Amino acid sequence: AIVAARRRAAAVAGKARLQTAGRSPQLTRTSTSKALRSDGGVQQVATTATASKSQFPTRIQQTFAELRDPRSIKLGLYKLKDALLDAGFAQQFVAADGLRVLRDIVLSEHGSALAYALDCLRSAWRFHRPDVHGPLSPDLLVHVMAQFDAQSAAVAKSALDTILALNQRDKDLFLATFVNYAKQRRETPCANLVRVLRHNEVDVQTKALTLTNNVLSAAATAADRDAIYDALASESLYEHLPKLRASQDPIVRTQLCAFQLARLAAVSARKRTPYDKANPAHEARLLRLWELTFPDEPLTARVSSQWGKLGFQGTDPATDFRGMGMLGLECLIYFAEAYTERWRRLVVQNVARGAREYPFAVAGINTCHVIDQRFGFDSPASGAAGTDGVLHPLLLNHARPFEELCALMLQMIDRLWDDMNASYMDFPKVLDAAKARFADAVAHYATFDAWKRAFDAKRRPHR
């Protein structure tokens, strides 16, 4: 009811503004605004607006007349879209408070008129100072974002394009708009993007996926990005991405690759972060792994032979993380946190093997290396493959694909250890067998979940 009342008030104010546009007492206003050039730069544009009817340009007068008449508003907006391509006209329109007029129309119209108004707003704000929000208020932007769910595909596409353009204009306001929308609607941030990704029109899906990538790239920190990924996962995004993979649209595939590579860029960053014993945060994470594994057995000292029970090679686990950095440790912690009982059972069973036990934690770190080599996250070819449209199905339907693959491959090694009746010296042989099984899974399974179900059921890969 409150929203409806605000819209009615905005509509009344808009009509009043339209009725007075071009008829106010003589008032000359000179201002300097920034306009985006075609090359992406910014130029200073001096504009002089005269609100006197006698001096107001004829085209501007005609435009306002059409916009204030309900019978011609749709046609007026349609014509205004083309007129705004003229920089001189656009500058005069903005100087005459045209953005505010468009704002009122956006808040009060629907259907094709709303779609046209959004297109006009997007074109006109190029000539509005980027450091001054003015008519581009948070309430307006939240209203635009609400149009993602519009029944009209044209309105949804125009709204998505408008918020995409906002990202180019003001990244802080762009992210704040998502936060404000989620608060007002009392839903998970980016939930509306997941809903739009289920749209039946490819153009709408593509714009929604592009916007999702924009949100992720605009996040200031890795923690912020992880929070966005978790929010997307909570809305079942990863159940839908494999369906988008079937699309032959090149832009959809490019955006899917961008989403996938952005997720895995965080993996590469952790790999390049060496474990540092002098870093309290790193040490705390290592102790977290011990507590998850042996909650009832205190660690007597930081450097201790107790680490051998977990499958490290020496008394100080830090030496085993050299190859994979913090990524190796984080993958072990992920397994221990996500599948705690299974993790503890595997550790206990390995210790019980006695002379036949293998270095369990070291095996887990090795799985990181195997998967990293298979997909080549750090190689130039990885980026090239993503832009060429090569997608890895096993990495598309889970929020933490790399960590999940590491956990499953470690379980595969444990199973192969008994199947091959291996002893400590057979570790390289078992690891090679696990690599072959992993390559088989990559070639045969359409999703990670399908491979996981088959593994749990002890089935061989099949097409």
Side-chain angles (χ1 to χ4, degrees), residues 36 40 99 117-128 130 133 136 141 144-145 148 156-175 177-178 207-208 210-212 214-215 218:
L36 295 180
L99 276 178
L118 287 171
D119 292 340
C120 293
L121 181 69
R122 195 166 59 252
S123 295
W125 78 26
R126 293 177 301 142
F127 300 93
H128 183 66
H133 295 161
L136 306 180
L141 296 172
V144 172
M145 191 169 287
F148 292 177
K157 284 188 283 189
S158 292
L160 287 162
D161 281 335
T162 301
I163 300 300
L164 278 167
L166 176 64
N167 183 39
Q168 301 301 316
R169 178 186 175 88
D170 188 330
K171 290 188 182 297
D172 291 337
L173 184 58
F174 171 75
L175 289 175
T177 299
F178 278 89
K207 293 178 188 298
T210 303
L211 187 53
T212 301
N214 274 242
V215 172

Side-chain angles (χ1 to χ4, degrees), residues 67 69-70 72-78 80-81 102 104-121 152 154-155 158:
L67 296 183
D69 187 344
S72 61
I73 185 171
K74 189 182 298 185
L75 177 60
L77 289 166
Y78 183 79
L80 180 59
K81 286 173 59 179
L102 288 175
D104 293 338
I105 294 174
V106 167
L107 290 174
S108 59
E109 290 296 326
H110 54 82
S112 56
L114 173 55
Y116 294 157
L118 287 171
D119 292 340
C120 293
L121 181 69
S152 166
V155 172
S158 292

